[in-house]
Amino acid sequence: MEQYALEMRNISKLFPGVKALDNVNFKVKPKHIHALVGENGAGKSTLMNILSGVYPYGTYEGEIVIDGQVCAFKNIKDSEAMGIAIIHQELALIPQLSIAENVFLCNEQTDFGAVINWNKTNTRTLEMMKKVGLNEPIETKIKNLGMGKQQLVEITKALAKDVKILILDEPTAALNDDDSKHLLDILLELKEQGITCIIISHKLHEVTKVADEITVIRDGKTISTLVKGVDEITENRIIIDMVGRELVDRFPKRTHEIGDVCFEVKNWSAYDSVDDTKLVLKNININTRKGEVVGIAGLMGAGRTEFVMSIFGRSYGKKIEGTIIKDGKEITIKNVNDAIKHGIAYVTEDRKNAGLVLIDNIKRNISLTALDKISKGIVINENEEIRVVEEFREKLRIKSSSILQKTGNLSGGNQQKVVFSKWIFSDPDVLILDEPTRGIDVGAKYEIYTIINELTANGKTIILISSELPEIIGMCDRVYVMNEGRIVGELDKEEATQVNIMNCIMQSNQEVYHE
């Protein structure tokens, strides 16, 4: 009989009004990379939270078997004692502490009771960092590291706990292509070192590249397990298992006419919010038309988010200069309320911290931006609020027990749909989307793309920021390319290829170098 590093047998989990897992079986071979994929809300994170002790024994049905031993984890420490470590999509690092302090947080290297042995801490930190190729001074504070290196600190932290099974939930969702590739290479190296890895990801091209096996779950049930070298593993096959149907076209076509210029930003410059001597945005000029999707492409750090935040109520930047023209008239935007009143909305890339009130329910999150539409004076018409929110819940297929469910308890994809609903309800003329499909499965992406098309068909303007170039190319009618806080290229739909976008960036780098 084949020995597995992990078996999860007949796992079922109930939440109030929702059966999150229904008799799921999940088997992982030792020293393998096993991918767990499925739509948002399919139960992937719930299954891993059971494995890691977040949901303790007794709150679910079924059993967990590690190396042939049946386990009943009461908490996270119990699972860690068996060599299991989980790295969540939202990293559990303290920005103000150093790398070494974070690596051994709650796992302190002590002498004489509670006295920390810093020599041992620093030595072991360097040993673990070497395994993941992290070359930074150990005293470096987390807040001074990029997202890619923060991910490596999390893996270093797991290695310091003598991890045998490493779980990574959407590890590359917030990374650029180079950092993503480096992280995947690290996983392959950890596999060679004898560590079993479980990776949850919606980036199917990454999954097919590194995974030895891929398990698909849908609606809380195990659908299939594909084995590299045995089964034909393609993105299309995985998608069919994930969504229950074939997606012929990842990017739905738009057929409507594009109208006149309706929104312009001219000679836009801004200094950094913290260091007001650092010029971050440099003389930016863009325009958009009614019914048009305009992309802003660029590498991480190009200034894309800073630019749109500075437009949206000066949410970023100091000493902002430039002109905003809407429908042929110059407008003044001093704060977020001004932006909303002028018909501008912004779906942030950071939905948890800036896009939602996680402790509040779906109903209040969606109605928050346009309470005047469902109010008489200062009194909210609750029946109308419920009607509107239920309509959005049905239209965007938000998976929840009810509109009164806490938004923080939804999956990432369903949280994103709530953010979309909130801003669509405000009925903006210009909708800025910043990484709108980050951490979202292909089925939910398609639904969001369809919503974008419906909005543009009604004459709305979409400004789309995405680090996924296929998304920019597949969805945009025109693309601006940003680098180092400047617009370095403008491409129409026929010109917008990955090669041309990268050429714009590389040529601008050479120009800066020669200046």
Side-chain angles (χ1 to χ4, degrees):
M1 184 176 177
E2 188 170 12
Q3 179 72 36
Y4 290 96
L6 164 70
E7 292 182 77
M8 300 185 76
R9 301 171 179 167
N10 306 315
I11 302 293
S12 295
K13 171 70 177 173
L14 282 171
F15 292 107
V18 178
K19 191 163 192 177
L21 297 173
D22 185 5
N23 204 39
V24 170
N25 287 279
F26 181 58
K27 298 179 179 180
V28 180
K29 295 176 182 177
K31 304 177 185 179
H32 275 214
I33 298 175
H34 197 122
L36 184 62
V37 300
E39 291 186 279
N40 290 105
K44 307 181 299 294
S45 295
T46 300
L47 187 66
M48 292 300 98
N49 283 334
I50 288 173
L51 175 59
S52 58
V54 173
Y55 299 136
Y57 178 74
T59 64
Y60 61 90
E61 296 178 1
E63 60 182 15
I64 299 171
V65 181
I66 308 290
D67 292 330
Q69 177 183 342
V70 177
C71 300
F73 302 139
K74 296 178 182 177
N75 49 46
I76 294 174
K77 282 206 169 290
D78 282 355
S79 68
E80 288 181 347
M82 289 296 293
I84 298 169
I86 184 168
I87 299 175
H88 296 281
Q89 189 173 348
E90 287 76 36
L91 304 182
L93 300 172
I94 298 179
Q96 292 77 19
L97 296 185
S98 70
I99 293 174
E101 289 168 331
N102 270 278
V103 167
F104 284 99
L105 189 65
C106 299
N107 183 30
E108 286 78 9
Q109 306 300 292
T110 58
D111 289 332
F112 311 111
V115 179
I116 295 175
N117 184 328
W118 287 108
N119 286 333
K120 186 177 179 182
T121 298
N122 294 338
T123 300
R124 288 207 61 202
T125 299
L126 287 170
E127 289 175 2
M128 299 302 111
M129 287 171 61
K130 188 175 180 180
K131 288 186 176 183
V132 300
L134 181 58
N135 299 312
E136 293 287 333
I138 58 175
E139 65 273 10
T140 304
K141 287 183 168 54
I142 296 299
K143 65 181 182 181
N144 296 326
L145 295 176
M147 189 57 67
K149 290 181 178 178
Q150 288 187 29
Q151 284 279 11
L152 296 184
V153 173
E154 277 281 21
I155 295 175
T156 304
K157 185 176 175 182
L159 294 178
K161 296 176 181 177
D162 297 323
V163 64
K164 296 176 183 175
I165 299 175
L166 178 63
I167 307 163
L168 301 103
D169 191 351
E170 295 290 349
T172 64
L175 304 186
N176 60 34
D177 289 343
D178 288 339
D179 284 343
S180 294
K181 182 180 182 302
H182 181 59
L183 182 61
L184 296 175
D185 289 340
I186 293 297
L187 295 187
L188 292 171
E189 290 176 16
L190 293 177
K191 170 185 163 182
E192 293 299 316
Q193 296 171 23
I195 294 173
T196 302
C197 295
I198 300 171
I199 179 172
I200 299 174
S201 179
H202 293 305
K203 295 184 178 181
L204 300 185
H205 64 285
E206 295 180 353
V207 165
T208 55
K209 177 184 176 182
V210 301
D212 299 296
E213 293 93 22
I214 301 170
T215 292
V216 181
I217 62 174
R218 183 172 74 237
D219 296 329
K221 297 179 181 179
T222 308
I223 301 300
S224 63
T225 295
L226 307 175
V227 180
K228 187 173 286 186
V230 176
D231 300 299
E232 181 185 359
I233 299 178
T234 64
E235 290 187 35
N236 196 50
R237 165 68 192 277
I238 297 170
I239 290 169
I240 291 171
D241 286 350
M242 282 175 59
V243 303
R245 66 190 188 280
E246 185 174 5
L247 291 181
V248 178
D249 193 341
R250 301 273 187 95
F251 304 103
K253 303 298 182 190
R254 285 191 300 280
T255 56
H256 61 272
E257 293 290 327
I258 293 174
D260 298 327
V261 171
C262 63
F263 185 73
E264 299 176 81
V265 180
K266 294 185 174 181
N267 306 317
W268 197 260
S269 297
Y271 287 81
D272 184 71
S273 292
V274 178
D275 182 1
D276 60 8
T277 65
K278 182 181 178 183
L279 185 62
V280 175
L281 305 174
K282 306 161 189 174
N283 197 38
I284 293 173
N285 290 274
I286 71 166
N287 64 72
T288 67
R289 296 175 173 84
K290 291 183 178 180
E292 185 180 34
V293 179
V294 175
I296 303 181
L299 303 176
M300 276 187 143
R304 298 167 300 168
T305 295
E306 290 81 357
F307 171 50
V308 294
M309 285 182 67
S310 68
I311 294 172
F312 185 68
R314 298 177 179 248
S315 304
Y316 171 87
K318 291 183 178 179
K319 302 184 199 174
I320 298 174
E321 298 176 351
T323 304
I324 298 176
I325 298 172
K326 186 170 179 285
D327 297 325
K329 297 180 180 179
E330 183 176 339
I331 61 174
T332 300
I333 299 176
K334 295 180 179 179
N335 51 48
V336 170
N337 281 336
D338 283 348
I340 295 171
K341 287 175 184 176
H342 283 294
I344 302 169
Y346 172 52
V347 174
T348 172
E349 65 174 342
D350 186 1
R351 59 177 172 259
K352 287 187 180 292
N353 292 317
L356 295 167
V357 183
L358 294 176
I359 61 172
D360 212 340
N361 60 39
I362 296 170
K363 175 168 71 78
R364 281 197 285 263
N365 268 280
I366 290 177
S367 64
L368 191 61
T369 57
L371 289 173
D372 57 310
K373 290 187 175 185
I374 53 170
S375 303
K376 290 184 179 179
I378 61 172
V379 180
I380 295 173
N381 183 332
E382 290 195 12
N383 289 333
E384 180 65 10
E385 183 182 28
I386 290 169
R387 184 193 68 76
V388 167
V389 175
E390 285 286 12
E391 192 175 285
F392 275 111
R393 181 183 176 224
E394 181 179 351
K395 184 177 180 181
L396 273 74
R397 293 176 59 201
I398 299 170
K399 292 181 181 177
S400 64
S401 56
S402 75
I403 61 173
L404 299 179
Q405 183 174 344
K406 279 189 179 180
T407 313
N409 293 336
L410 298 175
S411 68
N414 287 298
Q415 287 179 356
Q416 191 71 342
K417 290 178 183 179
V418 172
V419 177
F420 256 81
S421 301
K422 176 178 78 170
W423 287 114
I424 294 171
F425 181 46
S426 73
D427 193 27
D429 301 314
V430 179
L431 180 59
I432 303 168
L433 306 177
D434 194 350
E435 304 287 0
T437 63
R438 174 179 289 169
I440 292 178
D441 65 78
V442 289
K445 282 183 179 182
Y446 191 88
E447 291 169 2
I448 286 175
Y449 298 150
T450 302
I451 293 165
I452 290 173
N453 285 355
E454 290 174 0
L455 291 170
T456 54
N458 291 324
K460 309 296 185 184
T461 294
I462 306 293
I463 298 175
L464 174 63
I465 294 174
S466 177
S467 296
E468 296 186 27
L469 288 183
E471 183 169 80
I472 288 283
I473 294 164
M475 286 301 298
C476 296
D477 301 297
R478 199 157 43 94
V479 178
Y480 286 102
V481 184
M482 276 191 76
N483 190 41
E484 300 289 340
R486 299 180 296 141
I487 298 293
V488 297
E490 180 182 351
L491 306 169
D492 61 28
K493 190 168 185 64
E494 289 70 31
E495 297 174 315
T497 65
Q498 294 196 35
V499 171
N500 286 343
I501 290 171
M502 291 308 299
N503 278 341
C504 289
I505 295 170
M506 298 306 294
Q507 287 173 11
S508 71
N509 284 338
Q510 291 174 4
E511 290 170 7
V512 171
Y513 177 77
H514 289 300
E515 285 178 356

